[in-house]
Structures are given as C-alpha cells and as structure tokens.
Amino acid sequence: MTDEADLLVVGAGPAGMAAAVTAAMCGARVILLDENTGPGGQIYRAITTTPVRRKQVLGRDYWFGETWAGRLKRSSADYRAGSAVWSLRMDGDGVEAGVVDAEGARLIRARYAVIATGAMERPFPIPGWTLPGVMTVGAAQTMLKSSGVVPDGDVVIAGSGPLLYLYARQLVAAGAPPALILDTTPRSNWRQAIWHLPAFATSRYARKGLMLLAAVRRRVRIVRHVTGLRAEGEAALREIVWRTPQGEERRQTGLLLLHQGVVPTINLWSASGCRSLWDEAQACWHAEADAWGQSSQERIFIAGDGAGIGGAEAAAITGVLAGLRIAHLLGRLDRAALDSKARPGQAALGRLLRGRDFLDALYRPADWARLPEGGTLVCRCEEITAGQIVAAAQQGCAGPNQLKTYLRCGMGPCQGRQCGLTVTELMAHVQQRNPAEIGHFRLRPPVKPVSLADMAKIPASPEETASVIRL
C-alpha cells in the first residue's frame, strides 16, 4: 500500500505539529506520522490525555502544548498516531518513506519531508547505571505526564541541566519532593558561561530559571560540584556514592534518577543521508541545515532540536519556518508572502535563543560524566565496556564503524542510540582527535523494528526491495 502527499512530517512534537499545521494552512496535502498514541512529543507528552489535571504540577510551559494540539486537530493535516518510520530516502523529485503501523508496513511518497524527531537524553554512563532502580529523569517525567505516577520513597536526582530542576519542581508541586539533588555541574563551567551572562540576563530564561531554582531550594537539599558518582548494588540499586571537595559521601536509596542534558536524535536523518556537524559547545551531533531547516538532502528539512537544542518554543518556530518554506517551494506561497509570514517567527526565534549560549556553557556535562572508565558499560546491548573501547582505540581502531568489527559495539537493538555519542567521545579522547574527525556510527535503514514478513509485502520485486532498504 502506498500513500502520497505534498509533505510528509515525521514526529508530532512542537516542531512537527507546527510544520504540519503551517503547510496545511497554506493548502498543502500533509501527512503527519508519529510513534506515540497522541500528539505532543516528549515535551508535551500526553497533552491530550494526561491524568494530571492540576496545572501547577506540570507547569504553564507544558500546557502550552494544548494550543498546538488544538491547531493540529482543526487543520487538514492527516495525523497518524502509532506509525513508526523505518526508512526515508530521496526518490527522484520527492521522498519515499517506509512506515510500519498496526496494519503492517507501507510506503509513503511525498514531494518534501520534515524530520522532527526531537531530542533524547544524553547517555550518563556511570558505574552501576544499568542496575534496576537507576533510570533517567526523562523516563520518570514521562510516567508523570502520561500516567500521573510519582516515585515513592527516598528518591535521589543526579546530574545537570534545567530538566533536573524542572522535574524536581514538578515533584514538589505534586507533593512528593525528592530527598536529594546531586548537581554535577562543574564549578569551572562558570569561567566560560560568564562571558554570555549579559545576554542571558536580558533573556526570558533568566527570570524563569531563578524562580525554578528558588522553588526547589525551599524544599529539597542540593549538593553541588559532585564528581565520581556511582551506583552500587547486586540485584538492584542499594547505595549511591559520590565525591565533593569535602570528600566522599554515601547514601542508601532504591531509586536514582540521572540526567545531564539532551542531544539531537540523529538516527533517521543520518540514515537518510543528511550531513551532520559536531557542535563543540553542546558536545553532540546535529543536522546541517539552513535557516529554513533545509538539510543537505534538498527535499528533506530538519525542524526542532535535530538542528540544535533550543527548547520547545524555538522548536515550534523552526517548524513554522520549514512549513512556510516548503509551501513556497510547492507554489502555495509567493516570495513576498513567504517573507511576510516568516518575519515574525524569525524575530521571535532570535529572542528565544538569546541566552542559550550561557546555558550551553554552564551545563556542558563534565568530562568524567561523558568519558567513563574501566568496567563501566557503554554499549548495553552488546555489553561492551569503556575499557574495551579504550583498548581498541589505543590499538589503532580508526573510528566507530571499524569498532563494530572489533567489538560489535553499536550493533544491538538500539542501533547505537545509547552508546554512539559516548563511543565517539571516548575514541576522540584516547586518540587526541576532534570528535568531528572520529565521526559516528554509519546508520542505515531500517532504523525502527519491522518484520521481514511486512517488508516482503512492499514492494514486489527484489530490485525495489533493495532500493528501499539500501543494504
């Protein structure tokens, strides 16, 4: 079964919803695909179904997602929940996507595509991070948004970045404050961040950030400048250990929530042939894209955090700009109309991104938290340790793709999503090279699980099958 559209959008977070709504309003035929059961992405997770009705718990920023979900519902965009895109490629004068949903696999062809797959939490590979009882702050927040679940008992939150404190405030508002926050933000980061303080002080982030910190500090003990964090236990988490300038400390707990920022989700656009760039400030890869979101593949646009972490409101504006540009390319808007409609968004985007340099510098994760050592697991799928990766790099392994032949690292079910960034940085550190020289895993479709039985149904011939999966 093959569908056709003017525009295919992948991901129904703020950027994807905005791109789909904008293009549809301009008269384009739009199909919006999303894996989840409802729109919102991670930041507006379960915005139409959350059982958390006390708005102060999740905060005003979360509920802004209702605006975009409402616009999507009223638009002519064909929104399809529960649809995973396992391939996307340029196809003549358009694009072709492989999709799997409840009815099986299918192909969708469109003249343009917007990839709006957002961000994921940066790996935080400390000793013991795979123990039962250790999970990410993002996973815990998903449970709060989608099911109204708050953790019970003696909960410790550890790491750095704004989400650490946002989730802590949400727990405070829900009546279940965490017992302790271990802030791993390096004291030395202030030396870089201070140069960006004037711009940050005049941004919208400053007041919101101060209010957030004040709300958390009143109810939660915060330990700063934490290093050497590790989780200990046998069958499950029993105790956490950390160091501060005053020495080593321990605490018994059954739940540790980790977080050290978010990074772009690269798998789909990388497997689609879009070029990536190493961002030294954010210590991650992002897609190469112009001011409209157009990638190195001319008919594929990147909207939202895939082209650089900027927050939900900024992501929505990049979606609007991508939708407008595609509408222009489709002949739905002339140049004057494009410029006129884009101007307010471009101005707003500049205001929203003011102060981001300060946040990027302040919350850049510490080296020890990004570069694990010894027996700490890096690739959980294949159970490959940091020590094994370091040894391979010392033996002359050229990069992550050759590392697959050495160790099978990155070849498990997650396809390198959880280990790829750590592998790149570890190898670059050992070989004293820039991560941009090391590169990342070569990603190929299918980027999502799809059965051979489903794939065999489309297309009919072996030659077409080879062209779809590009193996």
Side-chain angles (χ1 to χ4, degrees), residues 231-317:
E232 296 186 346
E234 296 179 3
L237 175 66
R238 183 189 72 255
E239 187 176 55
I240 55 174
V241 185
W242 69 92
R243 291 193 300 272
T244 67
Q246 289 72 45
E248 185 175 276
E249 296 186 47
R250 293 174 174 267
R251 184 187 183 97
Q252 290 189 347
T253 182
L255 182 59
L256 172 64
L257 304 179
L258 298 173
H259 177 79
Q260 58 172 352
V262 297
V263 295
T265 303
I266 75 169
N267 286 54
L268 182 60
W269 51 259
S270 182
S272 302
C274 301
R275 283 196 298 267
S276 59
L277 299 173
W278 176 257
D279 186 328
E280 185 61 29
Q282 296 186 345
C284 64
W285 301 101
H286 65 75
E288 180 183 7
D290 67 12
W292 299 100
Q294 193 167 23
S295 75
S296 59
Q297 299 286 330
E298 62 177 352
R299 290 185 177 269
I300 299 177
F301 285 64
I302 314 294
D305 285 339
I309 305 299
E313 291 182 74
I317 293 176

Side-chain angles (χ1 to χ4, degrees), residues 77-131:
D78 181 2
Y79 168 59
R80 303 181 187 182
S83 300
V85 176
W86 49 269
S87 74
L88 180 68
R89 68 186 184 97
M90 295 278 287
D91 180 38
D93 58 354
V95 296
E96 183 179 75
V99 181
V100 61
D101 55 25
E103 298 179 1
R106 69 190 67 241
L107 298 179
I108 296 179
R109 291 188 174 91
R111 294 179 64 184
Y112 292 92
V114 171
I115 299 178
T117 48
M120 57 175 281
E121 286 185 274
R122 180 191 297 273
F124 197 167
I126 63 169
W129 72 310
T130 60
L131 283 170

Side-chain angles (χ1 to χ4, degrees), residues 54-63 141 144 157 162-178 181 208-209 211-220:
R54 290 171 53 208
K55 296 202 171 185
Q56 66 269 30
V57 172
L58 296 177
R60 181 182 300 176
D61 289 347
Y62 171 78
W63 293 104
Q141 191 187 53
L144 173 61
I157 301 177
L163 182 61
L164 202 75
Y165 290 95
L166 173 60
Y167 180 65
R169 188 205 62 77
Q170 290 171 337
L171 291 185
V172 168
I181 293 177
K208 289 172 66 174
M211 292 176 62
L212 181 63
L213 289 172
V216 173
R217 274 199 298 253
R218 285 195 294 266
R219 297 290 304 278
V220 184

